[in-house]
Amino acid sequence: QLSLELCEPGDELRVRGLAANGKPYELMGVVVQSSRVFCKLEKVEMVMHSENRSNFRLPLECDISVYAESDTKLAQPELCRLVNISVGGACFQSEYVHGLGEVLRMEIRVAKYAPMVFLGQVIRANEFTSGIFRYGFLFAQLGDQETDALNKILFNIQVGNRREWQQRNSDGWG
């Protein structure tokens, strides 16, 4: 961004970012001073989520394909819908029935990024609405390079989503 949004002293502000090692973090603090080039906070604390996730979860709705573990050539896709994603796993919904512990392959194609394929396991399953199921999908252990790449993509998508929201809700150039 070229400049920061102005905040009022006393406003609570959440800050998300990536540490130098590529791990995501989220902080919360109270605004003391704010301008277009800096924002000073006090009472800064690390945000701890009730689910104690080690990675932030990005709401990201898009079409994905899910495959049986044995379908290494990705020839028989089940078309599904991604609900959210983190570097640890994803939540998706589908009309297909999968069992707890089932190992699947998930292919995600997001905007301008190269397709990503993950091997993982269904760790949560419930019927979301009649005939539509939501699944918690735990990625198989990712290597450092895969984790870093996915973290950067998710961060870029998050920043891009924020920028689009700001543009839609802007009062113009005023």
Side-chain angles (χ1 to χ4, degrees):
Q1 287 178 252
L2 295 176
S3 67
L4 299 173
E5 289 185 42
L6 294 175
C7 298
E8 294 294 322
D11 285 352
E12 280 192 359
L13 184 67
R14 287 182 181 250
V15 178
R16 289 185 183 169
L18 289 178
N21 64 3
K23 294 199 181 238
Y25 63 86
E26 186 172 356
L27 305 171
M28 184 170 65
V30 177
V31 174
V32 176
Q33 285 182 290
S34 172
S35 77
R36 294 286 181 186
V37 294
F38 77 91
C39 185
K40 183 177 179 181
L41 303 176
E42 66 181 6
K43 301 178 186 169
V44 177
E45 299 175 3
M46 182 71 72
V47 175
M48 301 304 288
H49 297 281
S50 61
E51 296 170 339
N52 291 325
R53 293 179 180 269
S54 57
N55 304 296
F56 72 87
R57 189 177 357 173
L58 180 66
L60 181 63
E61 293 189 24
C62 66
D63 293 329
I64 62 170
S65 296
V66 172
Y67 305 84
E69 177 185 16
S70 60
D71 189 358
T72 57
K73 295 186 180 189
L74 308 180
Q76 297 179 336
E78 296 176 3
L79 299 179
C80 304
R81 188 89 179 143
L82 187 67
V83 176
N84 61 56
I85 187 170
S86 75
V87 294
C91 176
F92 71 96
Q93 64 184 41
S94 172
E95 62 188 28
Y96 298 95
V97 176
H98 294 284
L100 287 177
E102 186 174 349
V103 176
L104 301 168
R105 294 181 192 282
M106 176 184 288
E107 181 181 37
I108 302 171
R109 294 176 180 267
V110 179
K112 61 187 175 232
Y113 300 99
M116 299 173 281
V117 178
F118 301 99
L119 184 65
Q121 185 176 38
V122 175
I123 59 168
R124 190 184 77 255
N126 60 38
E127 190 168 16
F128 180 63
T129 61
S130 182
I132 301 293
F133 302 90
R134 277 214 172 157
Y135 299 101
F137 186 75
L138 179 65
F139 296 149
Q141 191 68 34
L142 301 178
D144 289 342
Q145 286 181 324
E146 294 167 310
T147 300
D148 289 346
L150 183 55
N151 249 333
K152 288 175 184 172
I153 289 169
L154 295 179
F155 183 74
N156 287 338
I157 291 169
Q158 180 184 27
V159 170
N161 287 346
R162 177 70 181 150
R163 192 170 293 130
E164 287 175 19
W165 181 86
Q166 287 173 332
Q167 288 171 349
R168 282 195 311 268
N169 295 300
S170 169
D171 290 336
W173 296 100

